[in-house]
Amino acid sequence: MFRATMQSPAWAALSSSAQALYPFIKLEWRGPKSNNNGRIRFSYRQAAEALGIMPNTAMRAFHDLQAKGFLVVTELGALGSDGDARGPCYEVTELNMPERPKGSGRALYHQWQEGRDFPVLKHHKNNPTGRNGRRIPSSKARRSHLQNEEETPEPAPNPVFGIFKMATFSPQPHMRPYL
């Protein structure tokens, strides 16, 4: 890693897990002769195992690296029809892209400003509408058919039966409850 990278404001703004993850991603780069930048694959689980952290923490570290301009997702991960998973492909913006002149790394992290993060590409939720494709009703969804507050139906009164009364119990066990 270069000193200029580590002294940038974007580096200082990274979480410690993102700072620890970045060298591992750069280790996946095969070098200038067989340049795979833009096709670097490193999954959340691989990162979690390498760093000894939980996968969700690794995911947040990847998102942090994207937001600060150190990584760009070139292809989202996918689950193939045969069941084989592929992690997302990343471009390390500090490195040259294949078939481009030397020194052509975009280094987007130099353009980063506090409060102005780069967009983060994320996967869509697998089942955003609820369990088994059914929408989970919310309180707003239940009231959405009403035009205004005046049309709100009154709640049904609780039935009171004159014969039955609620028994009250005393805290002392030797006394009988009275009706």
Side-chain angles (χ1 to χ4, degrees):
M1 290 205 332
F2 299 110
R3 181 181 300 265
T5 303
M6 295 177 69
Q7 290 178 340
S8 69
W11 182 265
L14 285 174
S15 64
S16 58
S17 56
Q19 289 178 350
L21 175 62
Y22 189 66
F24 282 98
I25 295 170
K26 283 188 72 172
L27 285 173
E28 295 295 313
W29 182 55
R30 295 189 191 125
K33 291 190 179 181
S34 59
N35 195 344
N36 66 332
N37 195 16
R39 294 184 312 270
I40 296 173
R41 291 195 187 272
F42 201 56
S43 71
Y44 299 151
R45 290 183 186 183
Q46 288 173 318
E49 189 175 315
L51 296 173
I53 57 178
M54 298 300 291
N56 284 343
T57 306
M59 176 192 65
R60 286 191 296 273
F62 273 104
H63 291 173
D64 200 15
L65 286 168
Q66 285 182 61
K68 304 301 187 277
F70 289 93
L71 292 180
V72 173
V73 175
T74 56
E75 178 186 333
L76 287 172
L79 183 63
S81 59
D82 56 349
D84 292 334
R86 287 189 331 236
C89 288
Y90 295 102
E91 171 195 347
V92 179
T93 61
E94 182 180 13
L95 303 172
N96 299 331
M97 286 294 285
E99 302 166 2
R100 288 198 186 150
K102 188 175 182 179
S104 65
R106 298 192 291 171
L108 295 175
Y109 55 89
H110 288 304
Q111 300 167 12
W112 178 83
Q113 297 173 0
E114 188 157 350
R116 298 189 53 147
D117 287 345
F118 290 97
V120 176
L121 288 179
K122 300 178 185 178
H123 284 286
H124 298 291
K125 291 184 178 181
N126 289 337
N127 193 1
T129 59
R131 187 174 36 207
N132 298 326
R134 295 184 302 245
R135 285 202 166 273
I136 299 171
S138 68
S139 60
K140 290 181 182 176
R142 280 186 241 133
R143 287 188 233 145
S144 65
H145 69 281
L146 301 173
Q147 294 295 326
N148 55 27
E149 297 286 330
E150 296 155 7
E151 296 179 21
T152 306
E154 292 294 321
N158 291 336
V160 177
F161 300 104
I163 303 170
F164 301 105
K165 293 182 181 176
M166 179 181 254
T168 57
F169 295 95
S170 86
Q172 288 118 2
H174 67 278
M175 297 184 72
R176 291 180 31 178
Y178 61 93
L179 295 175

